[in-house]
Each structure stands twice: as C-alpha cells, then as structure tokens.
Coordinates of all heavy atoms in Angstrom, one line a residue:
M1 N 115.5 96.9 84.8 CA 116.5 96.6 83.8 C 116.4 95.1 83.5 O 116.6 94.7 82.4 CB 117.9 97.0 84.3 CG 118.1 98.5 84.3 SD 118.2 99.2 82.7 CE 116.7 100.0 82.5
A2 N 116.3 94.3 84.5 CA 116.2 92.9 84.3 C 115.0 92.5 83.5 O 115.1 91.5 82.7 CB 116.1 92.1 85.7
T3 N 113.9 93.2 83.6 CA 112.7 92.9 82.8 C 113.0 93.2 81.4 O 112.7 92.4 80.5 CB 111.5 93.8 83.3 OG1 111.3 93.5 84.7 CG2 110.3 93.6 82.5
Y4 N 113.6 94.3 81.1 CA 114.0 94.6 79.7 C 114.9 93.6 79.1 O 114.7 93.2 78.0 CB 114.7 96.0 79.6 CG 113.7 97.2 79.8 CD1 114.0 98.1 80.8 CD2 112.6 97.3 79.0 CE1 113.1 99.2 80.9 CE2 111.7 98.4 79.2 CZ 112.0 99.3 80.2 OH 111.2 100.4 80.3
R5 N 115.8 93.1 79.9 CA 116.7 92.1 79.4 C 116.0 90.8 79.1 O 116.2 90.2 78.1 CB 117.8 91.8 80.5 CG 118.8 90.7 79.9 CD 119.8 90.2 80.8 NE 120.6 89.2 80.2 CZ 120.2 88.0 79.8 NH1 118.9 87.7 79.7 NH2 121.0 87.1 79.4
Q6 N 115.0 90.5 79.9 CA 114.2 89.3 79.7 C 113.4 89.4 78.4 O 113.3 88.5 77.6 CB 113.3 89.0 80.8 CG 114.0 88.4 82.0 CD 114.7 87.1 81.7 OE1 115.9 87.1 81.3 NE2 114.1 86.0 81.9
L7 N 112.8 90.6 78.2 CA 112.0 90.9 77.1 C 112.8 90.8 75.8 O 112.3 90.4 74.7 CB 111.2 92.2 77.2 CG 110.2 92.3 78.3 CD1 109.6 93.7 78.5 CD2 109.0 91.3 78.0
L8 N 114.0 91.3 75.8 CA 114.8 91.4 74.6 C 115.6 90.1 74.4 O 116.3 90.0 73.4 CB 115.7 92.6 74.7 CG 115.0 93.9 74.7 CD1 115.9 95.1 75.0 CD2 114.3 94.2 73.4
G9 N 115.6 89.2 75.3 CA 116.2 87.9 75.1 C 117.7 88.0 74.9 O 118.4 88.8 75.6
G10 N 118.2 87.2 73.9 CA 119.6 87.1 73.8 C 120.3 88.2 73.0 O 121.5 88.2 72.7
I11 N 119.5 89.3 72.6 CA 120.1 90.3 71.7 C 120.8 91.4 72.5 O 121.3 92.4 72.0 CB 119.1 90.9 70.7 CG1 118.0 91.6 71.4 CG2 118.5 89.8 69.8 CD1 117.1 92.4 70.5
V12 N 120.7 91.3 73.9 CA 121.3 92.4 74.7 C 122.4 91.7 75.6 O 122.3 90.5 75.9 CB 120.3 93.1 75.5 CG1 119.4 93.9 74.7 CG2 119.5 92.2 76.4
T13 N 123.3 92.5 76.1 CA 124.4 92.0 76.9 C 124.1 91.9 78.4 O 124.7 91.1 79.1 CB 125.6 93.0 76.8 OG1 125.2 94.2 77.4 CG2 126.1 93.1 75.4
G14 N 123.1 92.6 78.9 CA 122.8 92.7 80.3 C 123.5 93.8 81.0 O 123.3 94.1 82.2
K15 N 124.3 94.6 80.2 CA 124.8 95.8 80.8 C 124.0 97.0 80.3 O 123.5 97.0 79.1 CB 126.3 96.0 80.2 CG 127.2 95.0 80.8 CD 128.6 95.3 80.3 CE 129.6 94.2 80.7 NZ 130.3 94.5 82.0
A16 N 123.7 97.9 81.2 CA 122.9 99.0 80.9 C 123.3 100.3 81.6 O 124.0 100.2 82.6 CB 121.4 98.7 81.3
R17 N 122.9 101.4 81.1 CA 123.1 102.7 81.7 C 121.8 103.5 81.6 O 121.2 103.6 80.6 CB 124.3 103.4 81.1 CG 124.6 104.7 81.8 CD 125.7 105.5 81.1 NE 125.1 106.3 80.1 CZ 125.8 106.6 79.0 NH1 127.0 106.2 78.8 NH2 125.2 107.3 78.0
V18 N 121.4 104.0 82.8 CA 120.2 104.8 82.8 C 120.7 106.3 83.0 O 121.4 106.6 83.9 CB 119.3 104.4 84.0 CG1 118.1 105.3 84.1 CG2 118.9 103.0 83.9
D19 N 120.3 107.1 82.0 CA 120.6 108.5 82.0 C 119.3 109.2 82.4 O 118.3 109.1 81.8 CB 121.0 109.0 80.7 CG 122.4 108.4 80.3 OD1 123.1 107.9 81.1 OD2 122.7 108.6 79.1
T20 N 119.4 110.0 83.5 CA 118.3 110.7 84.0 C 118.6 112.2 84.2 O 119.6 112.6 84.8 CB 117.9 110.2 85.4 OG1 117.7 108.8 85.3 CG2 116.6 110.8 85.9
L21 N 117.7 113.0 83.6 CA 117.9 114.5 83.8 C 117.1 114.9 85.0 O 115.9 114.5 85.2 CB 117.3 115.2 82.6 CG 118.2 115.1 81.3 CD1 117.4 115.8 80.2 CD2 119.5 115.8 81.5
V22 N 117.8 115.5 86.0 CA 117.2 115.8 87.3 C 116.9 117.3 87.3 O 117.8 118.1 87.1 CB 118.1 115.4 88.4 CG1 117.5 115.7 89.8 CG2 118.5 113.9 88.3
K23 N 115.7 117.6 87.7 CA 115.3 119.0 87.7 C 115.7 119.6 89.1 O 114.9 119.5 90.0 CB 113.8 119.2 87.5 CG 113.3 120.6 87.4 CD 111.8 120.6 87.2 CE 111.2 122.0 87.2 NZ 109.8 122.0 87.2
T24 N 116.8 120.2 89.2 CA 117.2 120.9 90.4 C 117.6 122.3 90.0 O 117.4 122.7 88.9 CB 118.5 120.2 91.0 OG1 119.5 120.0 90.0 CG2 118.1 118.8 91.6
K25 N 118.1 123.1 91.0 CA 118.4 124.5 90.7 C 119.3 124.5 89.4 O 119.0 125.3 88.5 CB 119.1 125.2 91.8 CG 118.2 125.6 92.9 CD 118.9 126.4 94.0 CE 118.0 126.9 95.0 NZ 118.6 127.5 96.2
V26 N 120.3 123.7 89.4 CA 121.1 123.5 88.2 C 120.8 122.1 87.7 O 121.1 121.2 88.4 CB 122.6 123.7 88.6 CG1 123.5 123.5 87.3 CG2 122.9 125.1 89.2
P27 N 120.2 122.0 86.6 CA 119.8 120.7 86.0 C 121.0 119.8 86.0 O 122.1 120.2 85.6 CB 119.3 121.0 84.7 CG 118.8 122.4 84.7 CD 119.7 123.1 85.7
Q28 N 120.8 118.5 86.3 CA 121.9 117.6 86.3 C 121.6 116.4 85.5 O 120.4 116.0 85.3 CB 122.2 117.0 87.7 CG 122.5 118.1 88.8 CD 122.6 117.4 90.1 OE1 123.4 116.5 90.3 NE2 121.8 117.8 91.1
L29 N 122.6 115.8 84.9 CA 122.5 114.5 84.3 C 123.1 113.5 85.2 O 124.3 113.5 85.5 CB 123.3 114.5 82.9 CG 123.4 113.2 82.2 CD1 122.0 112.6 81.8 CD2 124.3 113.3 81.0
V30 N 122.3 112.5 85.7 CA 122.7 111.5 86.6 C 122.8 110.2 85.8 O 121.8 109.8 85.1 CB 121.8 111.3 87.8 CG1 122.2 110.2 88.7 CG2 121.7 112.6 88.5
R31 N 123.9 109.5 85.8 CA 124.1 108.3 85.1 C 124.3 107.1 86.1 O 125.1 107.2 87.0 CB 125.3 108.4 84.2 CG 125.1 109.3 83.0 CD 126.2 109.1 82.0 NE 125.7 109.7 80.8 CZ 126.5 110.3 79.9 NH1 127.8 110.5 80.2 NH2 126.0 110.8 78.8
I32 N 123.5 106.1 85.9 CA 123.6 104.9 86.8 C 123.8 103.7 85.8 O 123.1 103.5 84.9 CB 122.3 104.7 87.6 CG1 122.0 105.9 88.5 CG2 122.4 103.4 88.4 CD1 120.7 105.9 89.2
E33 N 125.0 103.0 86.1 CA 125.3 101.9 85.3 C 125.0 100.6 86.1 O 125.1 100.6 87.3 CB 126.8 101.9 84.9 CG 127.1 103.1 84.0 CD 128.5 103.0 83.5 OE1 129.2 102.0 83.8 OE2 128.9 104.0 82.8
C34 N 124.5 99.6 85.4 CA 124.2 98.3 86.1 C 124.5 97.2 85.1 O 124.5 97.3 83.9 CB 122.8 98.3 86.6 SG 121.5 98.3 85.4
T35 N 124.7 96.0 85.8 CA 124.8 94.8 85.0 C 123.9 93.8 85.6 O 123.8 93.6 86.8 CB 126.3 94.2 85.2 OG1 127.2 95.2 84.7 CG2 126.5 92.9 84.4
I36 N 123.1 93.2 84.7 CA 122.1 92.3 85.1 C 122.7 90.9 85.2 O 123.4 90.4 84.3 CB 120.9 92.2 84.1 CG1 120.3 93.6 83.8 CG2 119.9 91.2 84.5 CD1 119.9 94.3 85.1
D37 N 122.6 90.3 86.4 CA 123.2 88.9 86.6 C 122.1 87.9 86.7 O 120.9 88.2 86.7 CB 124.2 88.9 87.7 CG 123.6 89.2 89.0 OD1 122.3 89.2 89.2 OD2 124.3 89.6 90.0
Q38 N 122.5 86.7 87.0 CA 121.6 85.6 87.1 C 120.6 85.8 88.2 O 119.4 85.4 88.1 CB 122.3 84.2 87.2 CG 121.4 83.0 87.1 CD 120.6 83.0 85.8 OE1 121.2 83.2 84.7 NE2 119.3 82.8 85.8
S39 N 121.0 86.4 89.3 CA 120.1 86.6 90.4 C 119.0 87.6 90.1 O 117.8 87.4 90.5 CB 120.8 87.1 91.7 OG 121.3 88.4 91.5
D40 N 119.3 88.6 89.2 CA 118.3 89.5 88.8 C 117.3 88.8 87.9 O 116.1 89.0 87.9 CB 118.9 90.7 88.0 CG 119.9 91.5 88.9 OD1 119.5 91.8 90.0 OD2 121.0 91.7 88.4
I41 N 117.8 87.9 87.0 CA 116.9 87.2 86.1 C 116.0 86.2 86.9 O 114.8 86.1 86.7 CB 117.8 86.4 85.1 CG1 118.5 87.4 84.2 CG2 116.9 85.4 84.2 CD1 119.6 86.8 83.3
D42 N 116.6 85.6 87.9 CA 115.8 84.7 88.8 C 114.7 85.4 89.5 O 113.6 85.0 89.6 CB 116.7 84.1 89.9 CG 117.7 83.1 89.3 OD1 117.6 82.6 88.1 OD2 118.7 82.7 90.0
S43 N 115.0 86.7 89.9 CA 114.0 87.5 90.6 C 112.8 87.8 89.7 O 111.7 87.7 90.1 CB 114.7 88.8 91.1 OG 113.7 89.6 91.7
V44 N 113.1 88.2 88.4 CA 112.0 88.5 87.5 C 111.2 87.2 87.2 O 110.0 87.2 87.2 CB 112.6 89.0 86.1 CG1 111.6 89.0 85.0 CG2 113.2 90.4 86.3
E45 N 111.9 86.1 87.0 CA 111.2 84.8 86.7 C 110.3 84.4 87.9 O 109.3 83.7 87.7 CB 112.2 83.8 86.3 CG 112.8 84.1 84.9 CD 113.8 83.0 84.5 OE1 114.2 82.2 85.4 OE2 114.1 83.0 83.3
R46 N 110.7 84.7 89.1 CA 110.0 84.2 90.2 C 108.9 85.1 90.8 O 107.8 84.7 91.2 CB 110.9 83.8 91.4 CG 111.8 82.6 91.0 CD 112.8 82.3 92.0 NE 113.8 81.4 91.5 CZ 114.9 81.1 92.0 NH1 115.3 81.6 93.2 NH2 115.8 80.3 91.4
L47 N 109.2 86.4 90.7 CA 108.3 87.4 91.3 C 107.1 87.7 90.4 O 106.0 87.9 90.8 CB 109.0 88.7 91.6 CG 109.9 88.7 92.9 CD1 110.6 90.0 93.1 CD2 109.1 88.3 94.1
Y48 N 107.4 87.8 89.1 CA 106.3 88.1 88.2 C 105.1 87.2 88.2 O 103.9 87.6 88.3 CB 106.8 88.3 86.7 CG 107.4 89.7 86.5 CD1 108.1 90.4 87.5 CD2 107.4 90.3 85.2 CE1 108.7 91.6 87.3 CE2 108.0 91.5 85.0 CZ 108.6 92.1 86.1 OH 109.2 93.4 85.9
P49 N 105.3 85.9 88.3 CA 104.2 85.0 88.4 C 103.4 85.2 89.7 O 102.2 85.0 89.7 CB 104.8 83.6 88.4 CG 106.1 83.8 87.6 CD 106.6 85.1 88.0
V50 N 104.1 85.5 90.8 CA 103.5 85.8 92.0 C 102.6 87.0 91.9 O 101.4 87.0 92.3 CB 104.5 86.0 93.2 CG1 103.8 86.5 94.5 CG2 105.3 84.8 93.4
V51 N 103.1 88.1 91.3 CA 102.3 89.3 91.0 C 101.1 89.0 90.1 O 100.0 89.4 90.4 CB 103.2 90.4 90.4 CG1 102.3 91.6 90.0 CG2 104.3 90.8 91.4
Q52 N 101.3 88.2 89.1 CA 100.2 87.8 88.2 C 99.1 87.0 89.0 O 97.9 87.3 88.8 CB 100.8 86.9 87.1 CG 99.7 86.5 86.1 CD 100.3 85.5 85.1 OE1 100.9 84.5 85.5 NE2 100.1 85.8 83.8
R53 N 99.5 86.1 89.8 CA 98.5 85.4 90.6 C 97.7 86.4 91.5 O 96.5 86.2 91.7 CB 99.1 84.3 91.4 CG 99.5 83.1 90.6 CD 99.7 81.8 91.5 NE 100.8 82.0 92.5 CZ 102.1 81.8 92.3 NH1 102.5 81.4 91.1 NH2 102.9 81.9 93.2
G54 N 98.4 87.3 92.1 CA 97.8 88.3 93.0 C 96.8 89.1 92.2 O 95.7 89.4 92.7
I55 N 97.2 89.6 91.0 CA 96.3 90.4 90.2 C 95.0 89.6 89.8 O 93.9 90.1 89.9 CB 97.0 91.0 89.0 CG1 98.1 92.0 89.4 CG2 96.0 91.6 88.0 CD1 99.0 92.4 88.3
R56 N 95.3 88.4 89.3 CA 94.1 87.6 88.9 C 93.2 87.3 90.1 O 92.0 87.1 89.9 CB 94.6 86.3 88.3 CG 95.2 86.5 86.9 CD 95.6 85.3 86.3 NE 96.0 85.5 84.9 CZ 96.8 84.8 84.1 NH1 97.2 83.6 84.6 NH2 97.1 85.1 82.9
G57 N 93.8 87.2 91.3 CA 93.0 86.9 92.5 C 92.4 88.2 93.1 O 91.7 88.1 94.1
G58 N 92.7 89.3 92.5 CA 92.1 90.6 93.1 C 92.8 91.1 94.3 O 92.3 91.8 95.1
F59 N 94.1 90.6 94.5 CA 94.8 91.0 95.7 C 95.8 92.1 95.3 O 96.8 91.9 94.5 CB 95.6 89.8 96.3 CG 96.4 90.1 97.5 CD1 95.7 90.6 98.6 CD2 97.7 90.0 97.5 CE1 96.5 90.9 99.8 CE2 98.5 90.3 98.6 CZ 97.8 90.8 99.7
F60 N 95.6 93.3 95.8 CA 96.5 94.4 95.5 C 97.1 95.0 96.8 O 96.5 95.9 97.4 CB 95.8 95.5 94.7 CG 95.2 95.0 93.5 CD1 93.9 94.6 93.4 CD2 96.0 94.9 92.3 CE1 93.4 94.1 92.2 CE2 95.5 94.5 91.1 CZ 94.2 94.0 91.1
P61 N 98.1 94.5 97.3 CA 98.6 94.9 98.6 C 99.2 96.4 98.5 O 99.7 96.7 97.5 CB 99.8 94.0 99.0 CG 100.2 93.5 97.6 CD 99.0 93.4 96.8
P62 N 99.1 97.1 99.6 CA 99.6 98.5 99.5 C 101.1 98.5 99.5 O 101.7 97.6 100.0 CB 99.1 99.1 100.8 CG 98.9 98.0 101.7 CD 98.5 96.8 100.9
N63 N 101.7 99.5 98.8 CA 103.1 99.6 98.7 C 103.5 100.9 99.4 O 103.8 101.9 98.7 CB 103.6 99.5 97.3 CG 105.1 99.6 97.2 OD1 105.8 99.6 98.2 ND2 105.6 99.6 95.9
R64 N 103.6 100.8 100.7 CA 103.8 102.1 101.5 C 105.3 102.6 101.4 O 105.6 103.7 101.8 CB 103.4 101.9 102.9 CG 102.0 101.6 103.1 CD 101.2 102.8 103.4 NE 99.7 102.6 103.4 CZ 99.0 102.2 104.4 NH1 99.6 102.0 105.6 NH2 97.7 102.1 104.3
S65 N 106.1 101.7 100.8 CA 107.5 102.2 100.7 C 107.8 102.8 99.4 O 108.9 103.3 99.1 CB 108.5 101.0 100.9 OG 108.3 100.0 99.9
H66 N 106.8 102.9 98.5 CA 107.0 103.6 97.2 C 107.2 105.1 97.4 O 106.6 105.7 98.3 CB 105.8 103.3 96.3 CG 106.1 103.7 94.9 ND1 105.9 104.9 94.4 CD2 106.5 102.9 93.8 CE1 106.2 105.0 93.1 NE2 106.6 103.7 92.7
Y67 N 108.1 105.7 96.6 CA 108.4 107.1 96.8 C 107.2 108.0 96.5 O 107.2 109.1 96.9 CB 109.6 107.5 96.0 CG 109.4 107.6 94.5 CD1 109.2 108.8 93.9 CD2 109.3 106.5 93.7 CE1 108.9 109.0 92.5 CE2 109.1 106.6 92.3 CZ 108.9 107.8 91.7 OH 108.7 107.9 90.4
L68 N 106.2 107.5 95.8 CA 105.0 108.3 95.6 C 103.9 108.0 96.6 O 102.8 108.6 96.4 CB 104.5 108.1 94.1 CG 105.3 108.6 93.0 CD1 104.8 108.3 91.7 CD2 105.4 110.2 93.1
C69 N 104.1 107.2 97.5 CA 103.1 106.9 98.5 C 103.2 108.0 99.6 O 104.0 108.0 100.4 CB 103.4 105.5 99.2 SG 102.2 105.2 100.5
S70 N 102.2 108.9 99.5 CA 102.1 110.0 100.5 C 100.7 110.6 100.4 O 100.0 110.4 99.4 CB 103.1 111.0 100.2 OG 102.8 111.7 99.0
R71 N 100.3 111.3 101.4 CA 99.0 112.0 101.3 C 99.0 113.1 100.2 O 98.0 113.4 99.7 CB 98.8 112.7 102.7 CG 98.6 111.7 103.8 CD 98.3 112.4 105.1 NE 98.1 111.4 106.1 CZ 97.5 111.6 107.3 NH1 97.1 112.8 107.5 NH2 97.4 110.7 108.1
K72 N 100.2 113.6 99.9 CA 100.3 114.6 98.8 C 100.1 114.0 97.4 O 99.4 114.6 96.6 CB 101.7 115.2 98.9 CG 101.9 116.3 97.9 CD 103.2 117.0 98.1 CE 103.4 118.1 97.0 NZ 104.8 118.7 97.2
Y73 N 100.6 112.8 97.2 CA 100.6 112.3 95.8 C 99.6 111.2 95.6 O 99.3 110.9 94.4 CB 102.0 111.8 95.4 CG 103.0 112.9 95.3 CD1 104.1 112.9 96.2 CD2 102.9 113.9 94.4 CE1 105.0 113.9 96.1 CE2 103.8 114.9 94.3 CZ 104.9 114.9 95.2 OH 105.8 116.0 95.1
C74 N 99.0 110.6 96.6 CA 98.0 109.5 96.4 C 96.6 110.0 96.8 O 96.4 110.4 98.0 CB 98.4 108.3 97.2 SG 97.2 107.0 97.0
A75 N 95.7 110.0 95.8 CA 94.4 110.4 96.1 C 93.6 109.4 96.9 O 92.5 109.7 97.4 CB 93.6 110.7 94.8
F76 N 94.1 108.2 97.1 CA 93.4 107.1 97.8 C 94.0 106.8 99.2 O 93.7 105.8 99.7 CB 93.4 105.9 96.9 CG 92.9 106.1 95.5 CD1 93.8 106.3 94.5 CD2 91.6 106.2 95.3 CE1 93.3 106.5 93.2 CE2 91.1 106.5 94.0 CZ 92.0 106.6 93.0
W77 N 94.8 107.7 99.7 CA 95.4 107.4 101.0 C 94.4 107.2 102.1 O 94.7 106.3 103.0 CB 96.5 108.5 101.4 CG 95.9 109.8 101.7 CD1 95.7 110.9 100.9 CD2 95.5 110.2 103.0 NE1 95.1 111.9 101.6 CE2 95.0 111.6 102.9 CE3 95.5 109.6 104.3 CZ2 94.6 112.3 104.0 CZ3 95.0 110.3 105.4 CH2 94.6 111.7 105.2
R78 N 93.3 107.9 102.1 CA 92.3 107.7 103.2 C 91.7 106.2 103.2 O 91.6 105.5 104.2 CB 91.2 108.7 103.1 CG 91.6 110.1 103.5 CD 90.4 111.1 103.4 NE 90.9 112.4 103.7 CZ 91.4 113.2 102.7 NH1 91.5 112.8 101.5 NH2 91.7 114.4 103.0
E79 N 91.3 105.8 101.9 CA 90.8 104.5 101.8 C 91.8 103.4 102.1 O 91.5 102.4 102.7 CB 90.3 104.3 100.3 CG 89.1 105.1 99.9 CD 89.4 106.6 99.5 OE1 90.6 107.0 99.6 OE2 88.5 107.3 99.2
C80 N 93.1 103.7 101.7 CA 94.2 102.8 102.0 C 94.4 102.6 103.5 O 94.5 101.5 104.0 CB 95.4 103.3 101.3 SG 96.8 102.2 101.3
Q81 N 94.4 103.7 104.2 CA 94.5 103.6 105.6 C 93.4 102.9 106.3 O 93.5 102.0 107.2 CB 94.6 105.0 106.3 CG 96.0 105.6 106.3 CD 96.1 106.8 107.2 OE1 97.1 107.4 107.2 NE2 95.0 107.3 107.8
R82 N 92.2 103.2 105.8 CA 91.0 102.5 106.3 C 91.0 101.0 106.1 O 90.7 100.2 107.0 CB 89.7 103.1 105.7 CG 88.4 102.9 106.5 CD 87.2 103.8 106.0 NE 87.3 104.3 104.7 CZ 87.5 105.6 104.4 NH1 87.7 106.5 105.3 NH2 87.5 106.0 103.1
E83 N 91.4 100.6 104.9 CA 91.4 99.2 104.6 C 92.6 98.4 105.2 O 92.4 97.3 105.6 CB 91.4 99.0 103.0 CG 91.2 97.5 102.6 CD 90.8 97.4 101.2 OE1 90.4 98.4 100.6 OE2 90.9 96.2 100.7
Y84 N 93.8 99.0 105.1 CA 94.9 98.3 105.6 C 95.6 98.7 106.9 O 96.5 98.1 107.3 CB 96.0 98.3 104.4 CG 95.6 97.7 103.2 CD1 95.2 98.5 102.1 CD2 95.5 96.3 103.0 CE1 94.8 97.9 100.9 CE2 95.1 95.7 101.9 CZ 94.7 96.5 100.8 OH 94.3 95.9 99.6
G85 N 95.0 99.8 107.4 CA 95.6 100.3 108.7 C 96.8 101.0 108.5 O 97.2 101.4 107.4
G86 N 97.6 101.2 109.5 CA 98.8 101.9 109.5 C 98.6 103.4 109.2 O 97.5 103.9 109.3
K87 N 99.6 104.1 108.8 CA 99.5 105.5 108.6 C 100.3 105.9 107.4 O 101.5 105.6 107.2 CB 100.1 106.3 109.8 CG 99.8 107.8 109.8 CD 100.4 108.4 111.0 CE 99.6 108.1 112.3 NZ 100.1 108.8 113.5
V88 N 99.6 106.6 106.5 CA 100.3 107.2 105.3 C 100.7 108.6 105.7 O 100.0 109.4 106.1 CB 99.3 107.3 104.1 CG1 100.0 107.9 102.9 CG2 98.8 105.9 103.8
E89 N 102.0 108.8 105.6 CA 102.6 110.1 106.0 C 102.3 111.1 104.9 O 102.2 110.9 103.8 CB 104.1 109.9 106.2 CG 104.5 108.9 107.2 CD 104.0 109.3 108.6 OE1 103.9 110.5 108.9 OE2 103.8 108.4 109.4
Ligands
LIG101 S1 98.4 105.3 100.2 FE1 98.2 105.2 98.0 S2 100.2 104.9 97.2 FE2 100.3 104.5 99.3 S3 100.0 102.3 99.5 FE3 98.0 103.2 99.7 S4 97.1 103.2 97.7 FE4 99.4 102.9 97.4

C-alpha cells in the first residue's frame, strides 16, 4: 500500500482498504483497512534502493518466510537448500 501511495504522489490520502475474496467452503469477503503513515513511506524510500542494489549486484537472498516458500509451491527448493543451506519445509 505504501508503494502505491508513493507512485500516486499527492493525489491519494494514504487511507486504503483491501477487499479480498477468499475461497473457503463458504466464500468470504475479507476487508482490511490501513492508513499509510510516515514510517511506511520511510520504509519504501529506504528499502527499495537496497533491493535495487542487490538486484544489480546479482544478489537474490532466499525468502524462506514467504507463504509460497515450500517444497510444494517452489520448483527450486532443492537448489535453494543446496546453495543457502537450511531446510525448506
Ligand atoms: S525455496 Fe524457493 S521460494 Fe523458498 S526461498 Fe528458496 S527459492 Fe525462494
């Protein structure tokens, strides 16, 4: 959300609501409201250049805490374990 706020500049308020349809036995609409504050903006401004330097330098650290990081969903889990160690569940 903070990224969108930065991209849209001064034409947005910083308040947002994310509506998500969840596929469960009974489909649900989940609404999450948030307000982007200065600390969120600071985070975008400081972290993105770090990520940019990493990409340009060819450094792609594993993100084992991502919800899609698993043997089931990642086709590269064996290579990832071999290169970075640890265990992909
Ligand atoms: S196992 Fe796949 S998803 Fe998880 S960190 Fe490694 S490359 Fe990323």
Side-chain angles (χ1 to χ4, degrees):
M1 292 289 104
T3 300
Y4 287 124
R5 182 186 175 300
Q6 286 299 89
L7 291 173
L8 294 170
I11 65 170
V12 294
T13 63
K15 291 181 186 269
R17 188 182 79 209
V18 179
D19 292 346
T20 307
L21 289 173
V22 181
K23 184 180 174 186
T24 50
K25 279 186 180 175
V26 178
Q28 299 176 60
L29 172 63
V30 177
R31 289 189 161 147
I32 300 171
E33 295 186 6
C34 65
T35 302
I36 306 305
D37 63 17
Q38 189 58 47
S39 68
D40 299 314
I41 295 167
D42 291 346
S43 179
V44 168
E45 289 178 345
R46 293 174 194 169
L47 286 177
Y48 280 28
V50 172
V51 173
Q52 182 186 46
R53 285 199 299 275
I55 291 170
R56 286 183 173 161
F59 180 62
F60 301 97
N63 182 3
R64 299 265 171 89
S65 61
H66 193 276
Y67 74 101
L68 289 176
C69 178
S70 68
R71 292 180 181 200
K72 181 177 180 182
Y73 293 117
C74 179
F76 305 102
W77 68 269
R78 288 181 186 85
E79 291 83 358
C80 188
Q81 272 192 182
R82 198 168 21 254
E83 186 164 346
Y84 296 105
K87 190 180 288 182
V88 177
E89 302 294 333

